[in-house]
Each structure stands twice: as structure tokens, then as C-alpha cells.
Amino acid sequence: MARKKTRALTVKVENNLIEAEWKFFTLNQKKIFWYISARMQELGYTLDSFRAKEVLMPEKTQVLDLETGELTEEETSKCFTMKLDTRKLFLDKRDALEALYKLQETRLIYKDEKKTVSVSAIPQVSQDNSNPHLITISMYAELFRFLLELQKYTTMQLNKIMDLNSKYSLRMYEKLNQVKNQNWPEFKLIGIDEANRFFDTKYKRLKDIERYILKPAKKELDEKSYISFEYLPIYDTNSKKKGRKPLIGYKFFVTKNTPQPTLF
């Protein structure tokens, strides 16, 4: 089936979301997430739109400390509910439904000034029995704020996001746009653990990251995106090992690019 043409929307993404760990996300799920963000921004909604109706006001809940037995009252996030017509998406109906339902299995791990938070991206999904194209999804208000409360954000092109065929290409596309927006000269991934967290993988060697992720991602971005990258290996210069020093990471540089024309 031919891919549906995507409108040339932009999506503004809070940098905390780009820097977060995206656990168990597929490519289609990430695309849906950014589509929701772009659509909310296109409709002109701001955080104040919802604050005025107290939609996103936190609720009070009782918290039991299992060590001390103390019962206290703390604030917790509400859920915000949205309706989505899968016919408006860029995906085949079956792919869209599968991705939406499985969003409940995904997690975002991010940090703020006080804590590290692990939250389900979409805790609830339901389908209208009378209209199977109509999907209702819920999102925690604390995460929903990131879509609208844009303090330090990165701007990306939604149509370029939708054109990508690899979640690793998309991960690099997000980070490269952040680096470009922030005018950073470069960014680094040091160690296999940091690389695995960034790409949500379980490789044991950095060379595998290069072979299975970096090279294919660069090839796709070179072909499809206005932004791509070059990278250099980082070696442990303090190592006493004879010969070539151990590989400990990669250094990345943003490059401008002229994507190849497509048929869409």
C-alpha cells in the first residue's frame, strides 16, 4: 500500500522528551506520538487553554509509606483524554491500531529538577464499536504538559519524521535537530550502556552499534532528510593497552544535507 502523504507540519518538542529514555517504542508508535503533538499545536491549544478549565490540575491522593506506616497526602497527575481518527494518520488502519494499543506497553523515563519519572506514554486506549476508526486515548497530564509547555524545545518537520523507515534514524533525527537548535558543536555517546539507553537496544559491543544502527541511520538520513551527521570513534587514550586503544564511544557532528526527491 502506498504511504499517505503527510502535510508539511512542524512539531515543537520539549527537550526533556528528546533526552528521555524511550523504552519499548516502535517506529510507528513514535510517529503517532509526534503526530499527536503536531496536531495539538496546529489546533492552537496552549497549556493556559486547559488551565483555565482546570483540566490539568493535579489531584490529591493518599500515599502510604510501607516503611514507616505513615499516611500522607500528595499530588498526582490526572489523565487527559483525546479522540483520534485513524483515517487521518499516515499509516494503514491495521498498523495504526496495533501501534496505538501497544503504546500502553511503552514507557518514558525522564528527569526533572526533583525526581526521575517512569511513566506509560498512553495508559488507556479504547475503540468505538460503532466507528472502528475512532480511537480514544488517555495520557497522563504530567506528560501531556511536555506537548504544550514548551520552554526549551526543538522544532522538527513532521513530514520528514513520517518518511523515515527506522526508529534509529528517527532517534538520530530528533537528537540532531536538538543539537542544531541549541547550536552545540557536537554530541557524544560514551560507553555501550549509554548507547543502549539512547537507542533502546541491548548490544554488547560499540562496533555493533555502528554496524547495525549508525551506518544504516546515516544512509537513510542522507537520502531523505535535510539534516544528517558524521561521526568519529572515541578511543581511551589513558589505556595502557598496546596497539590501538579501546573504543569507548562516538562523537557526532551535524551536517546539512540535500535529500533525494521522492515520488510522494
Side-chain angles (χ1 to χ4, degrees), residues 102-114:
K102 288 191 174 182
L103 268 171
Q104 297 171 95
E105 302 171 10
T106 61
R107 304 201 69 75
L108 274 168
I109 303 174
Y110 63 91
K111 296 181 180 180
D112 61 22
E113 296 178 353
K114 297 181 179 180

Side-chain angles (χ1 to χ4, degrees), residues 2 10 16-17 45 49 54 66 118 125 138 146 161-162 176 186-187 191 204 208 222 224 256:
T10 60
N16 276 352
L17 284 183
Y45 282 104
S49 307
E54 298 188 353
L66 294 176
S118 176
V125 178
S138 296
F146 281 128
I161 290 173
M162 302 312 179
L176 292 169
E186 62 190 41
F187 80 96
K204 295 182 178 180
D208 290 331
D222 285 346
K224 298 180 178 179
K256 294 182 180 180

